Amino acid sequence: MTLKEAARAVRKNAHAPYSNFQVGAALRTAAGNVYVGCNVENVAYPEGTCAEAGAIAAMVAAGERELAEVYVVADSPAPVPPCGGCRQKLKEFGAGAVKVTMGTLEGVEQETTIGDLLPGAFDVGHMARS
Ligand code: THU
């Protein structure tokens, strides 16, 4: 199964009764394994947790921490870019050159990288004097 197929499949499991906007994410790690996530909303925090965050959590829970590629899909008029918080999460586990593809259900795709999604990112080097 490709990352695209995995993201499209998991998107159908999204729990998004407040936004009605279902998102699926799939990532491949440096070790070659695939992890998936969908957005999960709740009544107290209707923005919920993002699909990308879910896929990253699954990866970390499985004992992996190195992203190799990411795919995000939603039923939107144009490819949906990861939110600010997810950009920082992607940056935590992936090099700047890691490819992130955003897709629509119709198959329109836009490719970017973690580095381009979060230029000037805060990282551990900024805490070097602490
Ligand atoms: N969402 C994601 O899961 N990923 C994104 O990249 C953008 C937004 C979700 C969060 C929330 O459940 C819904 O989309 C509306 O913001």
Side-chain angles (χ1 to χ4, degrees):
M1 196 185 267
T2 65
L3 281 189
K4 178 179 183 173
E5 289 167 343
R8 290 171 73 97
V10 73
R11 177 189 158 275
K12 294 178 182 160
N13 294 335
H15 178 72
Y18 306 103
S19 69
N20 287 314
F21 186 62
Q22 297 184 302
V23 186
L27 61 85
R28 188 165 42 77
T29 62
N33 297 311
V34 172
Y35 298 93
V36 296
C38 56
N39 54 329
V40 180
E41 301 175 350
N42 67 80
V43 65
Y45 299 99
E47 68 279 11
T49 50
C50 289
E52 299 92 321
I56 288 171
M59 171 187 75
V60 173
E64 293 197 60
R65 296 186 180 183
E66 187 65 40
L67 296 172
E69 192 178 345
V70 181
Y71 195 103
V72 184
V73 67
D75 186 11
S76 47
V80 170
C83 78
C86 286
R87 293 175 191 220
Q88 189 75 50
K89 292 181 181 77
L90 291 167
K91 195 256 176 282
E92 181 79 11
F93 298 106
V98 167
K99 185 167 85 170
V100 180
T101 305
M102 302 157 281
T104 69
L105 278 195
E106 288 79 16
V108 175
E109 292 181 342
Q110 186 182 339
E111 282 184 14
T112 184
T113 63
I114 289 178
D116 282 347
L117 283 170
L118 195 60
F122 171 67
D123 67 24
V124 70
H126 293 103
M127 299 190 291
R129 294 180 180 169
S130 305

